[in-house]
């Protein structure tokens, strides 16, 4: 159950990230682990870091790096470290962490959505669209992925036959602000 709390936090982080700006950090040497995997400690440290992500990002990064020393293959720690990089504008580092998280969490949409955000900010629109679409593939009807894909398609002029379906899903299931946006977009596309 605790793992789902981390995942929900990641989704909340995604919502916040979509509104925030960005900045710079040191690269991590992936060969510094001892080879011992302590997933429980990595999960505990990652949960601790989630509480620090926006209030104390420097401490959050330190704790996430400790989590990755405990278990280099703990996907949520990579995802959240990617969020820190994304918030600082370190798009390459963010994309690298999200890619690690994506591979380590094959059925979870959050790393794919976050990867899409990093790619979109870096001007790699086609790759971002693919990342958002892959989030929906691994987790059909995932609302944040649906919203991210529709927003990216419309923002960058890549509407297709799927766009209206995405917008209708948002109108039906989204929160008030997203519903209003989707209704407006549907009204615009049908004129």
């Amino acid at each position: 159950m605790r793992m789902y709390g981390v995942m929900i936090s990641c989704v909340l982080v995604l919502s916040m990230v979509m509104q925030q700006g960005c900045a710079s950090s040191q690269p991590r040497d992936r060969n510094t682990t001892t080879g011992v995997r302590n997933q429980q400690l990595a999960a505990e440290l990652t949960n601790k870091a989630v509480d620090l992500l926006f209030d104390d990002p420097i401490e959050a990064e330190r704790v996430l790096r400790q989590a990755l020393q405990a278990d280099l293959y703990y996907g949520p720690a990579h995802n959240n470290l990617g969020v820190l990089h994304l918030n600082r504008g370190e798009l390459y580092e963010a994309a690298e962490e999200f890619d690690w998280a994506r591979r380590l969490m094959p059925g979870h949409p959050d790393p794919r959505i976050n990867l899409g955000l990093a790619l979109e900010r870096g001007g790699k629109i086609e790759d971002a669209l693919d990342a958002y679409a892959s989030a929906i593939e691994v987790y059909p009807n995932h609302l944040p992925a649906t919203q991210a894909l529709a927003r990216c398609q419309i923002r960058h002029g890549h509407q297709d036959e799927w766009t209206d379906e995405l917008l209708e899903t948002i109108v039906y299931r989204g929160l008030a602000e997203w519903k209003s946006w989707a209704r407006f977009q549907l009204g615009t596309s049908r004129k």
Side-chain angles (χ1 to χ4, degrees):
M1 187 65 180
R2 185 74 171 155
M3 177 66 124
Y4 288 108
V6 172
M7 300 304 165
I8 290 169
S9 296
C10 294
V11 171
L12 293 174
V13 167
L14 168 67
S15 298
M16 296 170 146
V17 166
M18 290 178 77
Q19 299 171 5
Q20 292 197 359
C22 311
S24 190
S25 132
Q26 300 172 353
R28 176 177 74 260
D29 179 6
R30 300 211 190 279
N31 298 318
T32 60
T33 64
T34 61
V36 177
R37 294 183 62 192
N38 186 340
Q39 188 174 13
Q40 181 178 350
L41 178 59
E44 290 170 8
L45 290 167
T46 299
N47 288 331
K48 178 180 176 182
V50 166
D51 295 334
L52 301 168
L53 278 175
F54 295 102
D55 295 333
D56 191 353
I58 293 171
E59 180 63 11
E61 181 175 358
R62 188 186 69 73
V63 173
L64 287 169
R65 292 192 186 284
Q66 286 179 332
L68 291 172
Q69 285 180 338
D71 184 356
L72 179 61
Y73 302 102
Y74 190 66
H78 284 286
N79 187 64
N80 291 339
L81 187 56
V83 168
L84 287 171
H85 286 298
L86 187 64
N87 287 344
R88 292 188 294 224
E90 301 163 358
L91 301 179
Y92 179 83
E93 292 83 356
E96 182 180 64
E97 293 300 332
F98 295 141
D99 192 49
W100 265 77
R102 177 190 60 80
R103 287 182 275 136
L104 295 169
M105 302 162 59
H108 203 283
D110 289 350
R112 288 166 167 74
I113 296 169
N114 291 337
L115 178 59
L117 287 169
L119 292 166
E120 187 177 356
R121 286 187 185 175
K124 303 252 184 214
I125 305 308
E126 293 296 328
D127 292 335
L129 290 167
D130 289 344
Y132 296 139
S134 77
I136 295 171
E137 286 175 24
V138 300
Y139 199 108
N141 300 314
H142 186 256
L143 189 57
T146 301
Q147 293 169 166
L149 179 57
R151 179 196 48 76
C152 186
Q153 286 180 331
I154 291 167
R155 178 178 285 167
H156 301 287
H158 288 269
Q159 292 94 324
D160 60 20
E161 65 283 346
W162 198 16
T163 307
D164 282 356
E165 183 181 328
L166 296 169
L167 291 169
E168 288 168 1
T169 299
I170 295 167
V171 167
Y172 179 69
R173 295 183 44 226
L175 297 176
E177 186 176 317
W178 276 102
K179 283 182 182 194
S180 296
W181 174 82
R183 278 190 196 104
F184 176 77
Q185 298 301 328
L186 280 168
T188 303
S189 71
R190 292 181 178 158
K191 287 184 179 178

